């Protein structure tokens, strides 16, 4: 879309709730964020506006957000839910990963007693899972520390992840694991969720292969957009209908 027109009209967004979530997020920048506004406003094929279209209505309705989390992830702690787009608990903060990783959307749950639970979501659309260069040694040390401390990976995980098409999934998963390991002990439950279309075979394969590298899978899940839309009671009919069309 032509950028000026896209900004003025908000036509890249399917509902008033999604557009309101975009404007609210842009009005509250996070430190060191890497949010590309031209993609958000004007790219019809980007997974970033797709994420707002899928989850944006929940951001302005606390009761709806709580219902959705209960419907999609019934084993998560119950409590009020805050929906945060393009969110990181601390970019470049060595207490987490020291990099600029962020969730496309995060559902942060007030779990009581001054603790939180987190569902961090990465959304994909037309992208494919591509091989990446292995992390530089200075960063890799912290990633390995979080990985090994978590106890959820099988022996020999490195050869199957580093420098492969699974590396991005691993780094996003590590962000949740680093939150669970944070010295503040603020987060007592967490899960990373990879969301992709049923028609995307690349990420379907990557998600299946990644899961085989986990000896304990409670902190990782993969689901399709279609499965989210079909979950009873999770989303309102207007959003489901508009998104499917």
């Amino acid at each position: 879309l032509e950028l000026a027109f896209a900004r003025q009209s908000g036509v890249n967004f399917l509902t008033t709730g999604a557009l309101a979530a975009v404007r609210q997020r842009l009005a509250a920048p996070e430190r060191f964020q890497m949010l590309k506004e031209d993609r958000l406003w004007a790219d019809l094929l980007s997974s970033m506006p797709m994420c707002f279209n899928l989850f944006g209505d929940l951001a302005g309705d606390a009761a709806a957000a709580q219902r959705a989390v209960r419907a999609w992830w019934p084993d998560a702690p119950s409590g009020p839910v805050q929906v945060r787009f393009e969110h990181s608990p601390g970019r470049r903060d060595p207490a987490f990963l020291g990099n600029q990783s962020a969730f496309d959307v995060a559902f942060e749950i007030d779990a009581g007693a001054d603790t939180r639970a987190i569902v961090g979501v990465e959304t994909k659309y037309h992208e494919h899972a591509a091989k990446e260069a292995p992390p530089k040694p200075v960063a890799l040390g912290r990633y390995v520390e979080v990985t090994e401390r978590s106890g959820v990976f099988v022996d020999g995980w490195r050869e199957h992840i580093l420098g492969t098409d699974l590396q991005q999934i691993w780094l996003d998963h590590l962000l949740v694991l680093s939150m669970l390991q944070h010295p503040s002990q603020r987060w007592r439950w967490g899960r990373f969720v990879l969301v992709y279309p049923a028609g995307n075979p690349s990420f379907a394969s990557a998600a299946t292969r990644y899961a085989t590298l986990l000896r304990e899978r409670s902190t990782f899940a993969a689901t399709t957009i279609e499965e989210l839309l079909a979950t009873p009671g999770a989303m309102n009919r207007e959003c489901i209908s508009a998104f499917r069309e």
Side-chain angles (χ1 to χ4, degrees), residues 16-27 52 55-60 85:
T16 56
L19 181 56
V22 169
R23 289 175 171 154
Q24 183 178 24
R25 175 60 182 83
L26 293 177
F52 280 90
F55 300 113
D57 278 19
L58 303 177
F85 290 94

Side-chain angles (χ1 to χ4, degrees), residues 20 103 108 127-128 154 231:
F103 305 120
E108 190 167 56
E127 303 96 329
H128 64 278
V154 301
T231 302

Side-chain angles (χ1 to χ4, degrees), residues 33-173:
Q33 69 179 25
M34 300 177 68
L35 193 161
K36 296 182 179 179
E37 292 192 29
D38 56 341
R39 281 182 57 207
L40 180 59
W41 287 113
D43 189 343
L44 291 164
L45 293 177
S46 172
S47 58
M48 185 192 301
M50 187 202 77
C51 182
F52 280 90
N53 280 322
L54 187 58
F55 300 113
D57 278 19
L58 303 177
D61 188 332
Q66 194 166 352
R67 285 195 303 269
V69 168
R70 299 307 302 159
W72 287 326
W73 306 291
D75 59 330
S78 59
V81 175
Q82 186 169 9
V83 183
R84 299 173 177 267
F85 290 94
E86 291 292 321
H87 173 66
S88 171
R91 293 174 180 83
R92 302 187 188 178
D93 186 341
F96 296 103
L97 295 180
N99 62 19
Q100 292 185 232
S101 292
F103 305 120
D104 290 338
V105 64
F107 297 88
E108 190 167 56
I109 305 164
D110 185 343
D114 201 29
T115 65
R116 299 287 186 270
I118 189 77
V119 179
V121 178
E122 174 77 8
T123 55
K124 299 297 181 184
Y125 185 31
H126 66 82
E127 303 96 329
H128 64 278
K131 291 184 179 180
E132 298 182 347
K136 295 180 180 179
V138 65
L140 182 58
R142 175 59 178 156
Y143 303 160
V144 171
E145 179 184 22
V146 174
T147 301
E148 297 291 355
R149 185 181 293 173
S150 74
V152 305
F153 292 85
V154 301
D155 295 337
W157 61 268
R158 290 189 190 212
E159 62 186 274
H160 297 287
I161 292 178
L162 300 184
T164 75
D165 61 343
L166 303 184
Q167 185 169 285
Q168 183 192 9
I169 298 173
W170 171 64
L171 289 173
D172 291 331
H173 187 191

